[in-house]
Amino acid sequence: MSDLTLYIGNKKYSSWSLRPWLAMEAAGIPFKEVLIPFDFPAGNPRFREVSPVGQVPVLHHGKFRVWESLAIIEYVAELYPEAQLWPADRVERAAARAVSAEMHAGFRALRGACPMNFGRKPAPLAVDDAVKADVRRIETLWADALEASGGPFLFGSFSAADAMYAPVVNRFEVYELTDNPTSLAYMTAIRSVPAFQRWRDGALAESWVVPEDEV
């Protein structure tokens, strides 16, 4: 039994929960999953019981807690170096961390207008120029990384950087935000990852509906 417990939100909507869950699951890192649903307009009071910031995801390792998706990934990468969550090459590792940090801190227009939603049937969505700029930047970022690595993932094999962009794959798909061939091929590669498919299946089995995330 693992002594790591990852607390997450709804698989249908919680993009920040998907990131560390997918990184750990794809790498075969053992952990216990505890899902606390967003069943109140402002979240869920239970989040405060497990997280010092009242949000998920949060990872418990014994009495220690670490929150924020990217920090969780960094922590488990140090616990399980053999899982190779980051590229082995120093330059590639720095690049992977840079694009992951860009995802963590940026693309606010896209994230605000197009919530992750595994329950949404694909259909086009009219978006403003700020969202279009985010989409173009992500398309460029993906294309540059894939050209350098040869694909099919951003740095060759599946890494933490791919986990960080997995919610964008859902957004691009369900809101039909891209027709770029390179982006579409990369999205197909992410959807082929068994761990991604397990998350998707779990999301589709959920009955909760969060109105503010139903665009």
Side-chain angles (χ1 to χ4, degrees), residues 1 24 30-31 60 70 72 74 79 119 122-124 148 169 186 188 202-203:
M1 174 67 80
M24 296 167 69
F31 67 98
H60 287 203
L70 192 51
I72 293 170
E74 289 283 14
L79 284 179
V169 170
Y186 175 66
T188 297

Side-chain angles (χ1 to χ4, degrees), residues 14-107:
S14 185
S15 60
W16 292 109
S17 296
L18 169 57
R19 293 176 167 104
W21 187 98
L22 182 59
M24 296 167 69
E25 183 77 6
I29 294 172
F31 67 98
K32 177 183 177 183
E33 170 195 317
V34 178
L35 191 153
I36 302 176
F38 304 139
D39 53 3
F40 292 83
N44 189 318
R46 289 179 58 202
F47 294 159
R48 285 284 176 191
E49 299 174 8
V50 300
S51 170
V53 294
Q55 297 175 337
V56 290
V58 60
L59 182 74
H60 287 203
H61 186 198
K63 294 183 178 180
F64 178 64
R65 301 178 183 185
V66 57
W67 56 99
E68 295 289 352
S69 297
L70 192 51
I72 293 170
I73 290 172
E74 289 283 14
Y75 184 73
V76 296
E78 291 189 15
L79 284 179
Y80 292 89
E82 69 279 7
Q84 297 183 319
L85 287 177
W86 296 109
D89 178 80
R90 181 178 61 188
V91 171
E92 291 183 355
R93 188 164 62 251
R97 285 190 164 118
V99 300
S100 296
E102 184 175 354
M103 179 69 252
H104 189 269
F107 308 120

Side-chain angles (χ1 to χ4, degrees), residues 157-175:
S157 58
F158 188 88
S159 73
D162 299 293
M164 288 297 294
Y165 281 88
V168 174
V169 170
N170 171 261
R171 289 178 165 106
F172 277 16
E173 177 184 10
V174 301
Y175 301 107

Side-chain angles (χ1 to χ4, degrees), residues 12 203-209:
K12 188 183 293 183
L204 294 176
E206 292 178 351
S207 59
W208 302 293
V209 175

Side-chain angles (χ1 to χ4, degrees), residues 120-125 173-177:
R120 189 181 199 270
K121 294 186 181 300
L125 180 71
E173 177 184 10
V174 301
Y175 301 107
E176 297 185 353
L177 296 176

